Amino acid sequence: MKKRILSGIQPSGQLHIGNYFGMIERMIQFQDSSDLFCFVANYHSMTSINEKVKLEKNTQEAFIDLLALGLSPEKSTFWVQSHVPEVAELAWILSNYASVGQMQRSTSYKDKIANGLKPNMGLFSYPVLMASDILLFQSELVPVGKDQKQHLEITRDIAIKFNNTFGDVFTIPDIEIDTSNDTIVGIDNRKMSKSYNNTIPIFADNDTIKSQVMNIITDSAGLKDPKDINTPLFNIYSLFIDEESKNELKDRYNTPGLKYMEVKKELVDIIISFFEEKKSMKEHLLSNIDEVNKEMKLGKSKAKKIAQKTLKKVKSATGLL
Ligand code: TRP
């Protein structure tokens, strides 16, 4: 039996190469090696988006982008979170096994408040909804970035408490902290993140990609100096090439005469051709929304089946008539 792996992706606007190499690429591989469950987390996004059109647009675009990049409801279970509202029902049930103190200690909650978000119940119980996402589908493994580690620990605690009370209803998920995400640097050498405005967006037009690459910071090493490979230009370039080409690039960095401008020009071409097919796929999907809707429907029906099965078990265990 293939391992059931689950992950949620918030629809927060333009996907960038950090998202791709940090997580999406792995998801696409998991479709073959595992029993992948992956969804666009639009309920979660309600904690930060309160405009109808923006939430609709972001959700649809995230689904289309991920389809274009290779996620497929045929190969995996890939859906829009709110299409399976059973998750909200289970979240209510689970909230009775979630500790208020633990939610209050959540660093992600505290950070969000510190950044100016209003402390409403949605934000507060965000980890319970996440637990529901994970437990509803009896996930065995959840790979996340380290910023989500505490949420996963909360999930496990809730599941254990619930199982101790009612018997073995839920699979207790393992956590896998994916560190590759943290090492993808942006054009300013900080972690690549939309909030730092230092990304290279995947689906942007070629001019935008070019200007972002040209803006990658470089040092002031002279033409005759060997160059430092611990720099964003080298790191970003490396994402797109295999080990052998990486060693060649290293040699070029160590040899006097390397011009950063030339490396940047190459990188522009590499990025553009790397995503070319995916970009045309996105164009295709945008002009064939029927196809997108069909995929959404398939994802919904596959996810719903599992969700209803778990929920039935939960209701019967807890005494909900
Ligand atoms: N909170 C996650 C994030 O912001 C998204 C998410 C929602 C998720 N539900 C999940 C991730 C369940 C893993 C499992 O990145």
Side-chain angles (χ1 to χ4, degrees):
M1 275 278 266
K2 287 181 176 176
K3 189 167 261 193
R4 184 163 299 168
I5 297 184
L6 176 135
S7 188
I9 300 174
Q10 277 211 47
S12 49
Q14 278 190 331
L15 289 176
H16 54 73
I17 64 170
N19 302 128
Y20 185 78
F21 291 104
M23 136 112 168
I24 298 168
E25 192 187 39
R26 287 185 73 212
M27 291 298 139
I28 289 160
Q29 292 162 354
F30 282 144
Q31 293 190 117
D32 297 316
S33 61
S34 324
D35 179 18
L36 179 72
F37 279 62
C38 184
F39 61 95
V40 177
N42 61 338
Y43 279 139
H44 284 275
S45 286
M46 294 188 85
T47 57
S48 57
I49 302 176
N50 46 31
E51 292 161 56
K52 166 190 156 78
V53 175
K54 189 172 172 193
L55 186 60
E56 281 172 353
K57 191 171 161 286
N58 281 11
T59 306
Q60 189 176 55
E61 188 165 18
F63 195 83
I64 289 175
D65 286 356
L66 292 166
L67 278 181
L69 291 171
L71 275 183
S72 140
E74 279 86 16
K75 287 195 192 170
S76 62
T77 302
F78 171 45
W79 74 104
V80 173
Q81 187 184 29
S82 65
H83 286 171
V84 185
E86 284 82 352
V87 75
E89 188 174 354
L90 180 62
W92 166 255
I93 297 171
L94 295 178
S95 69
N96 295 287
Y97 303 89
S99 136
V100 169
Q102 198 174 27
M103 301 302 132
Q104 282 168 331
R105 288 189 297 277
S106 156
T107 49
S108 151
Y109 175 69
K110 288 191 280 195
D111 286 352
K112 285 172 185 166
I113 302 302
N115 285 326
L117 288 184
K118 295 249 162 17
N120 60 40
M121 285 307 293
L123 208 55
F124 189 67
S125 52
Y126 184 108
V128 182
L129 182 57
M130 224 171 121
S132 182
D133 289 324
I134 294 164
L135 302 178
L136 185 60
F137 297 99
Q138 306 285 5
S139 316
E140 293 172 286
L141 182 72
V142 186
V144 286
K146 70 170 187 283
D147 60 324
Q148 298 293 319
K149 182 165 181 252
Q150 209 176 15
H151 288 154
L152 271 285
E153 286 162 356
I154 294 174
T155 299
R156 285 175 55 92
D157 288 349
I158 292 175
I160 290 168
K161 210 189 270 182
F162 188 97
N163 279 2
N164 283 342
T165 313
F166 298 110
D168 277 343
V169 174
F170 293 122
T171 304
I172 310 292
D174 286 328
I175 311 174
E176 185 183 286
I177 303 301
D178 180 12
T179 48
S180 59
N181 208 359
D182 305 323
T183 52
I184 295 171
V185 295
I187 62 170
D188 60 356
N189 207 25
R190 291 189 287 174
K191 179 183 166 167
M192 189 176 285
S193 160
K194 218 179 102 211
S195 51
Y196 294 150
N197 231 332
N198 64 355
T199 70
I200 300 178
I202 296 174
F203 292 106
D205 55 50
N206 293 351
D207 286 344
T208 307
I209 290 177
K210 186 168 174 192
S211 90
Q212 286 301 84
V213 172
M214 291 303 157
N215 283 329
I216 294 176
I217 58 161
T218 48
D219 52 40
S220 53
L223 187 60
K224 294 205 178 85
D225 300 325
K227 310 289 191 294
D228 182 3
I229 62 164
N230 237 326
T231 45
L233 181 56
F234 183 88
N235 285 330
I236 294 172
Y237 200 127
S238 301
L239 295 169
F240 293 90
I241 54 182
D242 60 20
E243 270 312 298
E244 198 184 323
S245 314
K246 201 171 151 182
N247 284 330
E248 277 167 29
L249 187 63
K250 248 185 223 166
D251 287 343
R252 288 171 64 198
Y253 263 65
N254 285 326
T255 311
L258 178 89
K259 293 192 181 116
Y260 285 136
M261 186 45 89
E262 275 168 19
V263 178
K264 285 184 171 180
K265 281 186 183 149
E266 288 167 27
L267 181 56
V268 170
D269 290 341
I270 288 176
I271 296 178
I272 290 175
S273 73
F274 190 90
F275 290 114
E276 202 163 54
E277 251 178 60
K278 325 258 184 216
K279 258 187 195 163
S280 4
M281 190 57 188
K282 178 169 178 176
E283 290 308 313
H284 169 84
L285 292 167
L286 282 171
S287 42
N288 292 278
I289 289 298
D290 285 356
E291 238 174 84
V292 176
N293 291 337
K294 223 172 93 196
E295 298 283 41
M296 273 189 188
K297 231 170 119 182
L298 175 61
K300 171 180 168 172
S301 81
K302 283 172 86 172
K304 226 181 189 13
K305 234 200 216 138
I306 312 285
Q308 286 178 341
K309 197 168 149 203
T310 305
L311 201 55
K312 205 168 157 196
K313 220 166 138 185
V314 168
K315 286 183 166 176
S316 135
T318 49
L320 287 168
L321 295 182

